Structures are given as structure tokens and as C-alpha cells.
Amino acid sequence: DNIIFLLDTGLGGVIFRMDLNTQSYVPIPMNSLYTPTAFDYDPTDGRIYFVDYRLRQLMSVHFSGTDVRELKQLDANADLEKIQVDPINRKLFYADTGNNLIGSINLDGTGYRVVVNQSLDEPRDLALVPATQTIYWTDWGTSPKIEKASYDGSNRQTLASTGLKWPNGLAYDYEENRLYFVDAGTHKIEAMQPDGSSRSVILTDSSAHFFAVSPYHQYLYYTDWNQHTVMRVNKDGSGKTNIGPTGFRQLADIRVHKYGYGMPGVVTPSPIVVDESHIFVRLVGRGDHNEGLVEVYINGEWGTICDDMWDDREAKVVCEMLGFGKTNAKAVSRAYYGTDNSIIIFLDDVNCTGEESHIAQCTKIGDWGLHNCDHREDAGVNCTFDVTTIRDFVLVADSYIQEIYRMDLETGSYSAIPQYSVNTPIGIDYDPLTHTVFYSDVGLHLIKSTDLDGNNEKILKRLNSVAIPDGLVIDVQNRLIFYSDTGNDVIVKMNMDGTGVVNVTNTNLDEPRAVTLDVANQVIYWTDWGAHPKIEKSNYDGSNRQTLIDSGLKFPNGLVYDGTTNKLYLCDAGTNKIEVMDTNGQNRQLIFQDAGAHFFGIDVDSQYIYVSDWTKDGVIRLNKDGSGETPVGPPSFGKLNGISLYHQGG
């Protein structure tokens, strides 16, 4: 229950979880794209908030290392220092020494504001008192000081401005209502009252380079860049000692967390170990789309389930998570569909009633990872496949793993659509009338179709050896397929059975990719990521061709027409942006930007935008105003390209 979170910038921004009692520690397995330099922990949601100085982003990640989300992309001048989370008022505060400001933002990414941007030189660390909505901060500039203000920037006061040099670390002690701070220039740890009075020296260590501090009961835990371990001292300055093993390089931040201890008003009734919103299941191994070995994902890792006590009640829950429903769900035992000896066994003696909506509801927190089985007892399921009742889903084409997946939109759990021959699927779309999946395969130079369960696999068109059919979209109403071919520089139209092939246009194309349709007006839109990137449109027959935009683009990979708003949404892997515009190219607006993203596919429904992101290994969902970034499913895919949504009745 008692955890120290640590950040080692010397190891490239690795965040560790250390057990306060045993002092053993493990890294949090985050996406290697990110380089955290400061962080804080929100115990109510089990999320770590961090800054990435290289990408200039405010980010958050689930404590398991999965579900990375962007709060805000900052400007090119940003030089991010430390952050502090207020879990009660649901705010994050950060120091930016590049723009010389202290800013705040809601934990959901809304409500950004500049709190203080006057008379700041080098702001660094922060401390918060949510009850009074007071923020404290250090400034290590030419006139070092420690200040405070209200959350809105009013009532600003200087608490200390003498005897300081590099006040790197600051922390508020909610038990004693005191401020503690560490200074790498004076080599001191000090304390004072919240109004700056009663300042006293706790510890002087002339060899230390103090950087961060965190109070806990009678102790102060701190980091010293000249020590390769966690340090601790009593609050009276006695008993200085190292905690845990050496081996760290440069500990830049530290947070001690105990459930039920710390900030008043924050209540976490039990350790956050199992969070069903971050637990998924998938079907692998032999079998059709609706059957297979069950694997479960938790804390960033896939594992199997032992078949002890495994029966149809458990199968109902798994099949429901996959979107098939519970009807006639059958349990399968003894590794019938195969196994994977390289992964762990997560669950044993699972005890469901069959009424649960998630497998995490069937087992106790302490049961995860405990078993007396081997992989010969891996459990599977056989679900009833009924295309008329299957739940809302998203289809994704994974060119690295060479699979097409159907992922349940409600749970993020998924199963592959088995194909006899698939190499590099890119474009994908779905016909809800015939329940047929259409996709392009650039490795095999094919346009193909398959039933949703993987049966009735067909080659609709064989292309020549230079063909690269990156984009594909269907017109369900007029029974047409459109695809782009960047190898032959052509946009093509054909019937859904592969007949009636006609070039829409084959002139002045360089690298055409995404295609999307306004079916009502029989207009096709496409992107071109060539030497002069642009977005164009024409009628189905190629007439009335127009360039909509040809500036501010680099790799416009994804494009979708939203019939509910009569807007075009596009995603660009070079500018790292998601944008929206009118169908004539006017009123172009930035919706979302992520300097670390590599966007590829995009689709929309009445409420959300869905994009595939190569760097996050999965599908991301956003509100149409760009807020509320949320992953759909686990970050365990290879390279997701095209995506296609399906909603029952729409």
C-alpha cells in the first residue's frame, strides 16, 4: 500500500514504483517515445501526470504504464519544470521557465489558463493546498525566492527571498501545515510556516545537490544528484540514511504515497490494482473469429486464464466483452485452441455468475497472478456469432502484425478476423448491408473482401506489381468501391464485385492516400502527401476537380467526410495535427496537436473522432472539439493504418 514514485532523468526519464517497506522497485513500462522530467500522482484515478520537455507536452498515464493521454501541447518556447496535481479540485499546475509562467489546466485537459506570468525568472517546483486553493512555488533566477498566490493568481506574496540560491524542491506537509524546501546551492533542507515565518534549517550537507523532497510521517524523503539512491532524514534533521539500493543515476522527482494518507479530502479506500477500464480480453490461436484461446490484459501485459472452474458462466462474460453477447457462449478447456508459453497465467479459479459485464468483476483483487496451473490448462471460449446482434465496433488494419481486427467499442476487447492470405492491410471499410469487410493489401497488391467472421474471403481485383493501394472507401448506397494507388498515381472507382473499373483521375497526382466520400452529392475527396501536399475533391466521374488546401500539410494520411456536420476531418503525421474544415476548404481549424503522434487513419461518428496512431500502438478517441483524449483498447497493436466504425442502426 505504501509506494514511492521516483523519476530518474539520468536513465532517460524512467518512472519507478518502489515499495516503501521492502524497498524493491520496478520501472513503469511506458511508451519509449516519452521522456518525463517531472511528475505527480493522482490517487483517486490512479494516474501519473508528467511533463515531457522534449515534446513540450503535459501528459498523463495510467499507473500501469498504459493509456497515455495528452492534456496540452505547449508552444516552442516552453521549457517545462515541475508539476503538481490537485486531485480534489481536479487541476494540474506547472512551471514553465521558457515562457516564465505558472499555468494550470483541468485534469481532463480543459480550462487552461496562465496563473502568473509577471516578475518570474526561473520558476521550478510547486506545492498546493487544495482546501484554500493556494499555490506555492520556487524561483531559482537571479533573485531566488519562494512565493505563493491563490489559484487565480491573486493575493501573491513573497515568503522567502534571502539565503537562497537554487531552491529546486518544494513540498507541503498536510499533517503539520509546513513547507519544506531543498536548495542545491546552499546545500540545505529547510522548513517554514505557510506564511514564511519560523524558517529553520533541517539539514546541511555540503556535498549534496538536493533536487526534490516529499514528506511522510516523521520523515523527509529527498533526492540528491550526488547520491545514486533515495535519501531520507527525520524531520528534526537526525538519522540521515539512504533508502533502498543504489543504481539510480539522477533522481529528479519523488512522491511518497500511502493509501488514506496525505492530502486531506483525498480518499482511496483500497489499493488500485485492478481497474477494469484498463483490462481487456482477446481471442488468439486456432479457431474462427468468434472462438479461441482467451488472453487477458492488465498492467501492460497479456496473460492466460487457467481452466480450473472454467465453465459457460465465465464464457458468457468473455463473449459479452468481445461484443458477441452471452447467448449460447461455451467454455473450452485444456488449451484446445493452443497456448503461449512465453506469457504468464493471470487467473485461476475464476468464479463468475454469468451476469457480470466484465471479467474483473468475477475475481478478487488479490487473485490476479495466483495459480497452480500450467499452460496445458489454458482456457478458451466459443461465442455465438450473429452479425445482426453484434455490438458496435471499430475495424482496424494492422500491417505489422498482418491482421485485421474487430474491436468492441464499449470494452476495447478484440478478436482477429482470420484470413488465409493477408500481408500488409492498409485501407479498410465495412458494408453493414451485407456485413462485408473490404480492404486493400499493398504487400499482395490486392483489393479484397471477407465476411465479418473471416469466411467468404475474395480477391476483388489484382493490381500490377507497382501498385500501392493505400486508401479505400465504399459507397454502400451505390454499391461502389473507391481506392487510391500511389504506385500508379491514380484514383479508381469500381463495383463492389470488382467489375466496372474506371479511373476517376490519373493526372497531377503524386502520392495519393486517403479517400472519403460525400455519397449524397457523389463527391470524392482525397489527400496527396507528395512533394506538394494537398487535399482535393472531384465528382465521382472526375469532373469539377478542385484543390481545397495546399499549405500547412506534410503527411496528410487520414481524411473523412462527416455527413452529420458536412465537415472534413483530416490527420497529418508530419504536422502532428488533427484539423477540421468545410467541404470547400474554408474555415480550417486545428482540433488537436500531439508532437509525439504519427496519425494515420481517421473516422468519425456523431460524437467522436477516432484516429490510429503508430506511436501509441492503438486507436485514440477524441471529442470533436479535440478534448477528452482516450485510448480505445490496449496499446498492443503493431502498426494500425485504416480504421472503420460501425454502429448498429447508423
Side-chain angles (χ1 to χ4, degrees):
D1 290 5
N2 308 331
I3 302 170
I4 303 178
F5 290 99
L6 303 165
L7 171 60
D8 192 333
T9 54
L11 293 174
V14 179
I15 299 176
F16 294 92
R17 253 190 342 249
M18 175 184 284
D19 187 286
L20 197 61
N21 300 318
T22 67
Q23 296 164 17
S24 60
Y25 65 93
V26 294
I28 294 174
M30 281 178 53
N31 190 318
S32 60
L33 170 72
Y34 300 103
T35 310
T37 51
F39 77 97
D40 200 4
Y41 180 63
D42 174 16
T44 56
D45 284 346
R47 296 192 69 82
I48 297 169
Y49 291 80
F50 66 93
V51 300
D52 190 308
Y53 82 97
R54 183 177 59 84
L55 298 176
R56 299 181 180 89
Q57 292 176 329
L58 303 175
M59 307 290 295
S60 76
V61 62
H62 189 251
F63 74 95
S64 64
T66 63
D67 185 4
V68 180
R69 304 182 188 181
E70 175 190 304
L71 272 74
K72 186 169 180 62
Q73 176 70 56
L74 300 171
D75 64 32
N77 296 320
D79 187 353
L80 299 173
E81 291 280 354
K82 297 190 180 182
I83 64 171
Q84 191 78 19
V85 168
D86 176 346
I88 297 174
N89 296 295
R90 311 305 295 161
K91 291 182 178 294
L92 176 147
F93 292 80
Y94 73 96
D96 178 352
T97 191
N99 290 299
N100 289 326
L101 63 83
I102 293 170
S104 71
I105 192 168
N106 296 330
L107 295 185
D108 63 3
T110 63
Y112 172 78
R113 65 174 296 170
V114 174
V115 178
V116 177
N117 63 353
Q118 300 293 321
S119 301
L120 290 175
D121 191 358
E122 300 287 355
R124 175 155 283 168
D125 206 1
L126 310 165
L128 304 175
V129 181
T132 60
Q133 297 197 15
T134 303
I135 178 173
Y136 300 82
W137 68 89
T138 69
D139 189 320
W140 59 275
T142 55
S143 301
K145 55 193 171 183
I146 298 175
E147 298 184 86
K148 76 172 183 178
S150 298
Y151 277 11
D152 62 3
S154 64
N155 302 314
R156 183 175 177 180
Q157 300 176 45
T158 298
L159 304 181
S161 59
T162 61
L164 300 172
K165 192 172 182 181
W166 297 323
N168 289 332
L170 183 68
Y172 194 92
D173 186 336
Y174 299 100
E175 281 190 327
E176 300 181 356
N177 290 317
R178 299 177 78 194
L179 281 169
Y180 290 92
F181 58 95
V182 297
D183 192 309
T186 64
H187 312 290
K188 293 177 180 179
I189 300 176
E190 298 187 64
M192 63 182 176
Q193 294 299 312
D195 61 1
S197 64
S198 303
R199 180 175 170 183
S200 61
V201 176
I202 304 295
L203 176 69
T204 301
D205 184 345
S206 60
S207 65
H209 187 108
F210 300 121
F211 203 80
V213 63
S214 184
Y216 175 69
H217 287 317
Q218 72 269 34
Y219 302 117
L220 297 175
Y221 290 82
Y222 64 93
T223 67
D224 176 353
W225 283 4
N226 294 326
Q227 301 286 341
H228 301 291
T229 185
V230 178
M231 300 298 295
R232 188 185 73 190
V233 67
N234 295 324
K235 287 180 179 176
D236 63 6
S238 64
K240 185 185 80 168
T241 184
N242 66 288
I243 297 296
T246 59
F248 299 106
R249 293 188 183 178
Q250 188 168 285
L251 291 175
D253 219 342
I254 183 171
R255 295 287 191 275
V256 180
H257 176 72
K258 174 181 171 62
Y259 291 94
Y261 170 81
M263 188 178 290
V266 178
V267 178
T268 308
S270 62
I272 301 178
V273 177
V274 175
D275 175 0
E276 68 179 52
S277 68
H278 294 84
I279 298 174
F280 313 95
V281 296
R282 68 180 179 186
L283 300 183
V284 300
R286 297 185 299 272
D288 292 333
H289 176 60
N290 58 310
E291 59 180 338
L293 170 72
V294 177
E295 291 185 353
V296 60
Y297 182 92
I298 183 173
N299 290 346
E301 190 172 2
W302 288 102
T304 61
I305 301 174
C306 180
D307 63 11
D308 293 347
M309 296 181 61
W310 187 254
D311 61 28
D312 292 351
R313 292 172 298 181
E314 286 72 40
K316 287 182 178 180
V317 177
V318 170
C319 292
E320 177 81 354
M321 289 181 67
L322 290 162
F324 293 112
K326 298 181 178 182
T327 304
N328 296 324
K330 300 297 181 184
V332 182
S333 303
R334 305 301 296 177
Y336 177 81
Y337 295 109
T339 188
D340 185 351
N341 291 310
S342 67
I343 63 176
I344 66 174
I345 299 173
F346 260 142
L347 290 173
D348 187 16
D349 298 322
V350 181
N351 186 18
C352 301
T353 65
E355 298 302 314
E356 298 88 350
S357 61
H358 199 289
I359 197 167
Q361 300 166 8
C362 302
T363 188
K364 299 175 183 176
I365 288 176
D367 292 342
W368 291 84
L370 301 178
H371 65 89
N372 59 352
C373 307
D374 61 44
H375 281 294
R376 292 174 296 181
E377 302 170 81
D378 282 348
V381 295
N382 187 314
C383 307
T384 298
F385 180 77
D386 184 345
V387 292
T388 64
T389 61
I390 203 160
R391 215 156 54 182
D392 296 350
F393 60 78
V394 58
L395 295 173
V396 293
D398 192 324
S399 60
Y400 184 81
I401 301 178
Q402 300 178 312
E403 293 278 14
I404 295 170
Y405 297 103
R406 181 195 57 83
M407 182 161 57
D408 184 79
L409 277 179
E410 182 175 326
T411 68
S413 297
Y414 65 89
S415 179
I417 298 173
Q419 297 286 274
Y420 289 111
S421 177
V422 61
N423 183 281
T424 313
I426 302 291
I428 194 165
D429 207 352
Y430 182 65
D431 178 5
L433 298 182
T434 61
H435 311 291
T436 303
V437 180
F438 295 84
Y439 66 96
S440 64
D441 191 318
V442 303
L444 299 177
H445 313 290
L446 299 174
I447 305 296
K448 299 182 65 178
S449 68
T450 177
D451 290 348
L452 193 58
D453 60 0
N455 293 315
N456 200 24
E457 182 178 349
K458 293 179 181 178
I459 296 173
L460 300 178
K461 183 170 177 58
R462 294 184 184 273
L463 308 176
N464 61 32
S465 61
V466 300
I468 304 175
D470 272 352
L472 181 145
V473 65
I474 64 171
D475 176 342
V476 174
Q477 179 178 317
N478 295 293
R479 314 308 294 163
L480 297 171
I481 301 173
F482 293 80
Y483 69 88
S484 65
D485 178 352
T486 190
N488 291 291
D489 292 332
V490 64
I491 307 288
V492 178
K493 175 180 70 174
M494 66 182 185
N495 297 322
M496 282 190 172
D497 61 3
T499 64
V501 179
V502 177
N503 290 344
V504 176
T505 183
N506 60 356
T507 60
N508 298 319
L509 293 173
D510 191 358
E511 301 287 355
R513 175 158 282 165
V515 286
T516 189
L517 304 175
D518 174 357
V519 174
N521 294 300
Q522 297 198 12
V523 175
I524 178 172
Y525 302 84
W526 67 88
T527 70
D528 190 318
W529 59 272
H532 302 285
K534 55 190 173 181
I535 295 177
E536 297 185 87
K537 75 173 184 178
S538 76
N539 295 328
Y540 277 12
D541 62 4
S543 64
N544 197 27
R545 181 175 175 180
Q546 301 175 47
T547 298
L548 303 181
I549 56 174
D550 58 5
S551 63
L553 300 171
K554 193 170 182 181
F555 300 126
N557 288 334
L559 185 70
V560 63
Y561 172 75
D562 182 358
T564 62
T565 61
N566 196 34
K567 298 281 188 179
L568 287 169
Y569 290 84
L570 66 108
C571 60
D572 191 309
T575 63
N576 314 111
K577 294 177 180 179
I578 299 173
E579 299 181 78
V580 64
M581 64 182 176
D582 294 340
T583 55
N584 61 2
Q586 300 299 308
N587 298 317
R588 182 177 174 185
Q589 297 177 27
L590 173 65
I591 293 177
F592 182 76
Q593 185 173 14
D594 180 349
H598 188 110
F599 300 124
F600 196 92
I602 187 168
D603 204 353
V604 295
D605 59 20
S606 61
Q607 187 174 1
Y608 299 113
I609 304 167
Y610 295 80
V611 292
S612 60
D613 184 345
W614 286 3
T615 61
K616 292 184 179 176
D617 303 325
V619 175
I620 305 300
R621 187 185 71 203
L622 300 160
N623 296 321
K624 285 188 175 177
D625 63 2
S627 65
E629 180 192 8
T630 306
V632 181
S636 60
F637 298 97
K639 185 179 286 187
L640 293 186
N641 301 295
I643 63 175
S644 179
L645 295 168
Y646 166 71
H647 288 285
Q648 285 188 348

